[in-house]
Amino acid sequence: MDSVVIVGVGVMGASLAWWLAREGVRVTMVDQFEPGDRRASSGGESRLIRCSHGSDADYTASARRARELWRQIEADAGTELMVECGVAWFAHREDGWEAESLTTLARQGIPAERLEPEEAMKLFPSLGVSDLAFVLHEPEAGVLRAERAVRTLAGQAVAHGARLEQAVARPDGESALVALDDGRRLEADGVVWACGPWLGELFDEHLSLRTTRQDLCFFDGGPAWAKPGVPGWVDFDLAIYGTGDLDGHGVKAAPDTDGPDLAASAALPGIDPASERAARDYLALRFPPLARAPLRSSR
Ligand SMILES: Cc1cc2nc3c(=O)[nH]c(=O)nc-3n(C[C@H](O)[C@H](O)[C@H](O)COP(=O)(O)OP(=O)(O)OC[C@H]3O[C@@H](n4cnc5c(N)ncnc54)[C@H](O)[C@@H]3O)c2cc1C
């Protein structure tokens, strides 16, 4: 295949563009927004990057490979995208998902340690451990600067010869044709629709996709939470995750439960006050001094 149009320049589309452009394929990327826009699933401040995936060996290996590739992109672009602050998983029982992850990580030689709850207290400025069986610490996991990462990937694809167009695209009858909202048509040997949550609206006859909103809270934790090395964290059983204060955005706490339905193309609403309450209830349990911290931002 000599030429490809990739619609959608989130992390998936941008990664593919980077990869194919380096192989010498003529790549045209199309996105309705600037790469890294916060309305895309890949946009915004940060994402956790970690290898724990329970007993799933493929996801574990794939995440490890992603870490290597991000390092390569950082070196090529001369920018820091991944902050290797570690990720701590709060395990509520000895034989759950975290224990399975430890086994899978060990099999693949990926650094990970099982910490007694009291030992894990050294990782954070504060940590409530009364409900924990142990903590799985992945020291080489961390936080990816999401918006910067997607922009850098797209920029590296362009550096290798790809083109970037800003337009709304839609399929145009035949499989390798794309119509843009400015009237142009793009043709290539292949078209990849890497449109994330918009795929359901574009191809409703082929797939049914339910898209929901998810709220993020950023709290002012003070200097202790902004120090380098505060790990990202996940409480899988209680469905919440977060990070330290990276780049001055505040301490992130994000309840990981499905919110109400929200169409991908809808305007982003303000957060539901119930999400802030859920985040604060969790902080009171896990990081008590943060429970009353001022909310710096939310979305
Ligand atoms: C709140 C939240 C937190 C998350 N946290 C993590 C995490 O910590 N770690 C992790 O690994 N993953 C996390 N994820 C998942 C991860 O972010 C997503 O899986 C990933 O970003 C999906 O990327 P994508 O490229 O498929 O989609 P998107 O980033 O949504 O990209 C799709 C792109 O297609 C474009 N597009 C759509 N339709 C059209 C059209 N018709 N014409 C032109 N352009 C179009 C959009 O503008 C968009 O830029 C999280 C996701 C969310 C929402």
Side-chain angles (χ1 to χ4, degrees):
M1 201 175 281
D2 293 329
S3 60
V4 173
V5 172
I6 299 173
V7 182
V9 191
V11 72
M12 296 299 172
S15 301
L16 183 63
W18 173 70
W19 195 268
L20 293 179
R22 289 184 319 147
E23 307 262 302
V25 177
R26 272 183 291 119
V27 176
T28 305
M29 299 178 278
V30 183
D31 203 292
Q32 58 193 336
F33 308 133
E34 292 271 331
D37 190 284
R38 60 175 41 196
R39 285 164 288 185
S41 335
S42 317
E45 302 77 9
S46 58
R47 292 290 183 281
L48 295 179
I49 176 159
R50 40 72 183 192
C51 295
S52 289
H53 276 282
S55 58
D56 194 315
D58 290 341
Y59 272 120
T60 302
S62 163
R64 188 67 176 171
R65 173 88 175 116
R67 174 179 171 276
E68 275 169 35
L69 291 172
W70 283 119
R71 286 295 187 223
Q72 182 183 335
I73 291 156
E74 286 179 316
D76 291 351
T79 186
E80 193 198 40
L81 303 173
M82 218 181 84
V83 179
E84 209 165 81
C85 52
V87 168
W89 298 82
F90 301 131
H92 292 261
R93 54 198 179 95
E94 290 293 346
D95 58 351
W97 193 89
E98 294 80 8
E100 286 174 1
S101 297
L102 264 175
T103 307
T104 314
L105 293 166
R107 278 196 194 120
Q108 298 192 15
I110 298 171
E113 52 184 348
R114 181 195 185 286
L115 299 177
E116 292 305 322
E118 291 69 25
E119 281 179 278
M121 291 171 77
K122 66 175 189 253
L123 297 174
F124 293 95
S126 62
L127 185 68
V129 295
S130 58
D131 59 331
L132 298 183
F134 69 95
V135 172
L136 159 55
H137 181 224
E138 269 190 76
E140 292 187 357
V143 182
L144 196 62
R145 295 184 166 102
E147 175 184 322
R148 193 192 296 179
V150 175
R151 292 210 167 139
T152 301
L153 259 180
Q156 286 297 299
V158 169
H160 287 282
R163 280 195 306 142
L164 175 61
E165 302 277 357
Q166 190 168 348
V168 179
R170 60 178 171 75
D172 190 11
E174 294 167 50
S175 59
L177 280 178
V178 175
L180 303 185
D181 60 345
D182 56 14
R184 284 178 299 153
R185 296 171 94 215
L186 302 178
E187 191 167 359
D189 295 336
V191 179
V192 177
W193 297 89
C195 297
W198 284 267
L199 279 172
E201 295 174 13
L202 278 166
F203 298 101
D204 58 349
E205 73 279 24
H206 297 301
L207 87 163
S208 146
L209 206 59
R210 179 171 166 246
T211 52
T212 60
R213 69 183 261 184
Q214 198 168 350
D215 293 336
L216 307 176
C217 301
F218 294 86
F219 295 96
D220 189 346
W225 282 88
K227 282 194 184 144
V230 176
W233 51 271
V234 186
D235 198 320
F236 193 72
D237 288 348
L238 298 186
I240 186 163
Y241 66 95
T243 69
D245 181 349
L246 178 67
D247 299 335
H249 295 301
V251 178
K252 178 174 173 180
D256 197 12
T257 44
D258 286 352
D261 289 0
L262 183 72
S265 48
L268 291 182
I271 76 157
D272 181 347
S275 299
E276 182 183 341
R277 279 199 301 278
R280 286 191 186 280
D281 286 349
Y282 184 80
L283 294 176
L285 168 76
R286 189 66 63 225
F287 310 113
L290 289 179
R292 290 171 183 273
L295 185 68
R296 195 176 283 174
S297 67
S298 61
R299 62 185 178 79

